[in-house]
Amino acid sequence: MRFALSADSLDGVAPALAAALRERGHEIVARHGALDPAARDDWAWASEAAARDVADGRADQAVVACWTGTGASIAANKVAGIRAALCADAATAEGARRWNDANVLALSLRTLSAPLLGEILDAWLAAAPSADAEDRANVAHLAEIERT
C-alpha cells in the first residue's frame, strides 16, 4: 500500500513512521511537514498535504501526526473524501478501519511509544472495511454531509 506521511515536528515517534511502515511492506510516496526539510511544518498545512495525497489518488492512505494528534486529524478531515481517525490504541485503530473505513490515521507524538505505534499500525493494517450494510450506509452518508 502507498502511504503519505506528515508530522509537525520530529518529536516522539515521528522519525520512526516511515521505517515502521516499510518494515510492514508498505511504500512511502510522500513526506510532509517536518518529515520533508523543504516543506512547511505547521500541522494544518502538513496534514492537509498528506490528506490531499489520498484524496487525489497519489497515496492509498496517510498517517498524520502532531503533538496531540487532534489538530492533524481536524486538518485532514477538512479534505473532501478523507476519513481521518485519531487513534491512541490498537482497538480504536482496528475499529476506525472496520466501521468507519478510515483512510487517514492520526497520531499523537506526545503519547505514543514505539511499541504502541507498532500495535496501532498492525491493527490498522490488518483491518478491512466492514461490508455490513449499516456500516456502509454510515460511510456513504459522510459523503452526503460533505456535499451540504
Side-chain angles (χ1 to χ4, degrees):
M1 190 175 322
R2 300 169 303 144
F3 274 87
L5 304 178
S6 76
D8 67 346
S9 73
L10 294 178
D11 294 307
V13 298
L17 289 173
L21 285 163
R22 280 196 309 271
E23 288 169 3
R24 288 163 173 79
H26 302 282
E27 177 186 4
I28 308 307
V29 296
R31 297 171 192 243
H32 302 285
L35 302 174
D36 175 0
R40 185 171 182 162
D41 63 359
D42 300 276
W43 57 264
W45 281 265
S47 300
E48 175 196 8
R52 288 204 185 280
D53 285 334
V54 175
D56 294 343
R58 291 183 296 274
D60 301 308
Q61 294 186 5
V63 178
V64 298
C66 68
W67 191 243
T68 65
T70 306
S73 173
I74 291 169
N77 276 315
K78 296 296 181 182
V79 176
I82 296 303
R83 294 172 303 282
L86 175 56
C87 298
D89 58 66
T92 303
E94 191 273 334
R97 285 289 300 132
R98 175 176 292 152
W99 299 308
N100 312 125
D101 194 6
N103 53 11
V104 174
L105 172 61
L107 300 172
S108 167
L109 297 176
R110 181 183 68 80
T111 62
L112 289 185
S113 64
L116 185 53
L117 171 64
E119 292 172 13
I120 290 169
L121 289 176
D122 289 343
W124 179 272
L125 295 166
S130 170
D132 180 79
E134 185 175 298
D135 295 332
R136 299 312 313 155
N138 275 296
V139 172
H141 185 62
L142 296 175
E144 293 172 22
I145 294 169
E146 285 177 346
R147 288 190 293 272
T148 62

